[in-house]
Amino acid sequence: MSLYVGIDVGKFHHVACFLDDRENQLDELKFTQSYQGFSELEKIIQKHAIPEDGQTLLGMEATGHYWFPLYEFLRNKGYQVKVFNPLKVNRFRDFYIQPVKTDPKDAFIIANILRYGKVKPTSLAPAEVQRLQRLVRYRRFFCDRLTQVKNKIRCILDEVFPEYQNSRIFSCLFGKASRALLKIAPIPEKILALPLEEWAVYLERHSRRLGWERAYEKANLIYQAARLSIGSKTVAQPLKECIKDLIFELEHLEDRIHFFTEEIENTLSSTPGAILTTIPGVGVVTAAEIISGIGNINQFKSADQLVCYCGLIPTSHSSGTFISTRNRMAKRGQTSLAHMFYQIALTSLTCNPALREYYLKKLSEGKPKKVAVIAVARKLVRIVYSMLKSNRAYDDAFNSKSS
């Protein structure tokens, strides 16, 4: 005899369903996301626990991030807990004719998944990789916000001073000298308020490479652009303050990204992903992104399974005598990993002779350039799989093994 406990996870409340081997519902409990609620669940589990040879299995969906505190609480109490992909739970729900979706019904379905034992649970990453995953996601949040801030600055300049970026006065709009200028004079009116020579001195002081002549030349370009600017004067004053504020936010985000990059580097060294930095073209952050996306390499029985997980497989469609000749990439798996390996593949074409040779081979077979790059990306996935499985640093032997 066994006890099966299915738990439907929510933000504030969870629902647990208790089944026996014959699908008899022994109990149902709605409890809060709190220590008191978790303790209440434990009491009901102990009440229905099967003595001696019986086992107690608990299962839940990986719903957002709400499941993790409960999962950790139950694991620390010594219970066997399985976490399921929500997509698999939805597929299992299709076995029931009635299209009912409620929290108690979902808990009942998860308990039945445990009872049948046919659905493979999600394999969670080791503790050190879980810590790395959080750091990688938080750093990515800052990087996404940094992109938003830069785009917002560009949008505002298009309104108040379009010539500033259109004339390409600075090679980088967010370089040190350009940033220093935008902090104090982001609109034409402020530029024209001071003599040309003072701006030349200011640029020379805030740039590492500009001498007096180049600083004066750039100052003159900025001055002329400001004098002939078509920027709006109506909204210039409020947007001037917006640009200044966004520049300070940009610098704060860059500091945070730098800090968390160092944290990632320190944490990566204690994970299996550290050896991935030996692949040409793969740095610390990229290696951390890869191992965070993969999680536990032991959940994959072959390199082909990892390729599928990354979403780097083409679809196939045939019916009767019809066989499709236009097969697109499957929109399944970890799209972030697919994008990451595609970018590494592009980099590898210039820094990894073996992979470039493989790319040229695919082109000689008549493959389009993009298809050839995807083939290189798949090969990289197989190389990563072999490295993590064998715990060996990269060498050219992996290229022949991963063909």
Side-chain angles (χ1 to χ4, degrees):
M1 291 288 291
S2 299
L3 174 66
Y4 304 99
V5 184
I7 304 171
D8 182 70
V9 176
K11 183 174 183 179
F12 301 113
H13 296 89
H14 313 308
V15 176
C17 178
F18 300 77
L19 298 182
D20 63 12
D21 285 327
R22 298 181 179 179
E23 204 179 4
N24 296 316
Q25 184 166 335
L26 305 176
D27 214 329
E28 185 179 294
L29 174 68
K30 183 177 181 179
F31 59 100
T32 59
Q33 171 85 327
S34 64
Y35 182 80
Q36 291 78 11
F38 293 177
S39 300
E40 188 179 357
L41 172 66
E42 188 184 11
K43 289 178 182 178
I44 304 298
I45 293 173
Q46 292 174 350
K47 172 184 173 183
H48 295 290
I50 311 299
E52 299 178 358
D53 296 335
Q55 64 172 344
T56 300
L57 293 177
L58 296 93
M60 63 183 71
E61 273 186 334
T63 306
H65 53 273
Y66 304 122
W67 60 275
F68 196 76
L70 177 58
Y71 170 84
E72 199 166 72
F73 174 86
L74 294 171
R75 285 298 300 269
N76 290 338
K77 293 291 183 177
Y79 292 105
Q80 186 179 351
V81 188
K82 296 183 178 182
V83 181
F84 297 102
N85 187 317
L87 182 63
K88 291 183 177 181
V89 175
N90 286 334
R91 292 293 180 267
F92 194 87
R93 186 184 289 109
D94 293 339
F95 284 107
Y96 295 89
I97 297 175
Q98 294 180 339
V100 177
K101 190 189 184 309
T102 62
D103 292 347
K105 185 67 175 180
D106 287 347
F108 174 81
I109 289 171
I110 295 170
N112 259 319
I113 290 175
L114 290 169
R115 192 171 67 87
Y116 284 110
K118 298 296 183 182
V119 178
K120 183 182 177 182
T122 301
S123 180
L124 299 181
E128 63 273 12
V129 177
Q130 290 185 33
R131 288 191 284 270
L132 183 64
Q133 287 172 337
R134 271 55 176 187
L135 290 173
V136 166
R137 289 170 189 166
Y138 199 56
R139 182 187 179 277
R140 193 184 305 145
F141 163 77
F142 280 128
C143 289
D144 291 342
R145 178 58 187 161
L146 182 66
T147 302
Q148 292 174 357
V149 169
K150 287 182 176 180
N151 289 339
K152 189 62 179 177
I153 292 172
R154 289 189 178 99
C155 289
I156 294 176
L157 285 174
D158 285 339
E159 287 191 74
V160 297
F161 197 177
E163 297 81 7
Y164 189 85
Q165 51 183 333
N166 293 346
S167 57
R168 299 193 179 278
I169 298 168
F170 295 98
S171 58
C172 177
L173 180 62
F174 303 103
K176 186 178 178 182
S178 176
R179 194 181 299 183
L181 183 62
L182 288 174
K183 281 182 180 178
I184 62 169
I187 59 175
E189 182 183 346
K190 285 289 183 180
I191 297 288
L192 298 174
L194 291 177
L196 175 62
E197 290 74 13
E198 288 194 29
W199 286 123
V201 172
Y202 185 81
L203 289 176
E204 184 184 22
R205 189 189 316 137
H206 288 86
S207 175
R208 296 176 182 175
R209 290 179 289 181
L210 286 179
W212 167 254
E213 291 184 2
R214 289 193 63 199
Y216 186 87
E217 181 183 342
K218 285 194 178 291
N220 185 48
L221 289 173
I222 295 167
Y223 209 79
Q224 295 305 319
R227 190 169 62 84
L228 301 173
S229 178
I230 59 170
S232 171
K233 294 179 174 58
T234 305
V235 296
Q237 288 303 318
L239 291 183
K240 174 191 71 174
E241 299 303 324
C242 294
I243 291 177
K244 290 181 181 180
D245 186 64
L246 287 168
I247 291 293
F248 284 115
E249 184 180 356
L250 183 146
E251 292 180 340
H252 170 72
L253 290 169
E254 288 178 339
D255 288 341
R256 295 289 71 195
I257 290 170
H258 178 72
F259 172 79
F260 281 102
T261 300
E262 291 182 341
E263 289 292 304
I264 287 171
E265 186 172 0
N266 295 334
T267 308
L268 179 68
S269 60
S270 63
T271 70
I275 59 173
L276 298 181
T277 56
T278 59
I279 302 174
V282 176
V284 170
V285 174
T286 303
E289 291 267 7
I290 292 172
I291 195 64
S292 295
I294 292 174
N296 186 357
I297 192 63
N298 294 321
Q299 67 180 307
F300 305 103
K301 295 181 180 179
S302 67
D304 287 339
Q305 284 190 356
L306 181 57
V307 172
C308 292
Y309 180 78
C310 294
L312 287 169
I313 55 169
T315 58
S316 60
H317 183 203
S318 63
S319 179
T321 58
F322 170 77
I323 300 177
S324 175
T325 56
R326 297 184 63 185
N327 298 321
R328 300 179 181 274
M329 297 299 293
K331 294 184 179 180
R332 290 286 178 87
Q334 292 276 358
T335 54
S336 59
L337 278 177
H339 175 75
M340 183 67 61
F341 277 109
Y342 187 85
Q343 294 301 317
I344 300 170
L346 289 174
T347 304
S348 300
L349 300 183
T350 58
C351 65
N352 191 322
L355 289 178
R356 176 165 178 78
E357 183 180 347
Y358 182 74
Y359 170 75
L360 295 174
K361 177 188 172 186
K362 291 297 177 183
L363 290 180
S364 67
E365 293 173 359
K367 304 291 186 185
K369 289 184 178 180
K370 189 171 182 179
V371 173
V373 174
I374 292 172
V376 174
R378 280 199 291 266
K379 190 176 180 67
L380 276 164
V381 174
R382 293 188 171 93
I383 289 172
V384 166
Y385 177 84
S386 299
M387 290 175 63
L388 293 175
K389 278 289 189 178
S390 62
N391 196 28
R392 282 176 50 206
Y394 176 83
D395 58 54
D396 289 337
F398 281 110
N399 290 297
S400 57
K401 290 179 181 178
S402 305
S403 297

